[in-house]
């Protein structure tokens, strides 16, 4: 009897927490405000002349396009495309909304499992699970899970990785 341990060709099963949308919208608003202050400072303090007349209308226009993308489009698209799954053999993630990255880390390769919660993640009740291996390319981050789910996933992965290490010795 042979066991097929090849990676699945399907997408990982789970999406991120819906609270991630709120987090990404908030990040978009913060970015828009920062860029808005810079554009306003440029328009108010840089004197006319040379290419400045074009920039006086181009920069605010670009700011509106950025705001529409960062607040109204990007959070929803990211939510639809970011996926994750933990199976008996590996941790899978699918990330990226322009460039898609599919990552697999076998349970047997896991060295460390970390849970981190940034300031905005804490406000939204989210956490990130980082699964680290000895390889520089082997780290997988499962972003923006509900904090209790992230902790359970991390505990389960650490326990299973320890069992695999014990079996190998």
């Amino acid at each position: 009897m042979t066991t097929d341990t090849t990676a699945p060709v399907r997408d990982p099963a789970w999406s991120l927490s819906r609270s991630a949308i709120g987090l990404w919208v908030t990040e978009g608003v913060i970015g828009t405000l920062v860029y808005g202050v810079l554009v306003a400072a440029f328009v108010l303090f840089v004197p006319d002349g040379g290419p400045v007349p074009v920039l006086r209308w181009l920069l605010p226009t670009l700011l509106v396009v950025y705001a529409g993308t960062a607040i109204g489009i990007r959070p929803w698209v990211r939510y639809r495309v970011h996926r994750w799954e933990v199976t008996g053999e590996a941790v899978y993630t699918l990330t990226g909304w322009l460039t898609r990255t599919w990552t697999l880390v076998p349970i047997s390769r896991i060295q460390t499992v970390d849970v981190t919660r940034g300031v905005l993640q804490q406000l939204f009740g989210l956490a990130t699970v980082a699964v680290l291996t000895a390889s520089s390319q082997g780290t997988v981050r499962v972003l923006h899970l509900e904090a209790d789910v992230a902790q359970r996933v991390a505990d389960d992965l650490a326990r299973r990785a320890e069992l695999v290490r014990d079996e190998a010795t």
Side-chain angles (χ1 to χ4, degrees):
M1 178 176 162
T2 61
T3 303
D4 184 16
T5 59
T6 59
V9 290
R10 62 176 174 74
D11 287 349
W14 307 106
S15 59
L16 305 180
S17 170
R18 284 194 58 84
S19 297
I21 296 170
L23 174 77
W24 288 322
V25 167
T26 303
E27 289 173 344
V29 168
I30 291 169
T32 299
L33 291 174
V34 168
Y35 291 135
V37 167
L38 295 174
V39 168
F42 177 84
V43 170
L44 292 173
F45 298 118
V46 175
D48 290 336
V52 174
V54 170
L55 293 179
R56 290 178 104 52
W57 65 265
L58 181 62
L59 290 178
T61 302
L62 291 175
L63 179 64
V64 169
V65 170
Y66 171 80
T69 303
I71 298 168
I73 297 171
R74 184 175 57 197
W76 301 97
V77 172
R78 287 180 78 181
Y79 178 75
R80 285 184 51 97
V81 300
H82 282 69
R83 316 268 313 153
W84 68 281
E85 183 175 1
V86 176
T87 67
E89 298 82 33
V91 178
Y92 303 92
T93 61
L94 180 62
T95 60
W97 65 299
L98 294 177
T99 301
R100 308 282 290 160
T101 304
W102 195 87
T103 307
L104 171 142
V105 171
I107 299 292
S108 62
R109 300 283 187 184
I110 295 174
Q111 290 190 333
T112 307
V113 181
D114 294 329
V115 176
T116 57
R117 298 186 72 200
V119 173
L120 288 178
Q121 284 183 314
Q122 291 177 45
L123 290 174
F124 286 91
L126 301 173
T128 294
V129 176
V131 179
L132 299 104
T133 69
S135 167
S136 64
Q137 299 297 317
T139 300
V140 170
R141 283 181 174 55
V142 183
L143 301 171
H144 310 320
L145 299 177
E146 293 174 5
D148 59 329
V149 172
Q151 192 60 54
R152 284 195 312 266
V153 167
D155 292 344
D156 178 58
L157 285 173
R159 181 186 53 75
R160 289 172 37 193
E162 186 65 31
L163 288 174
V164 169
R165 275 193 293 279
D166 289 346
E167 289 174 6
T169 57

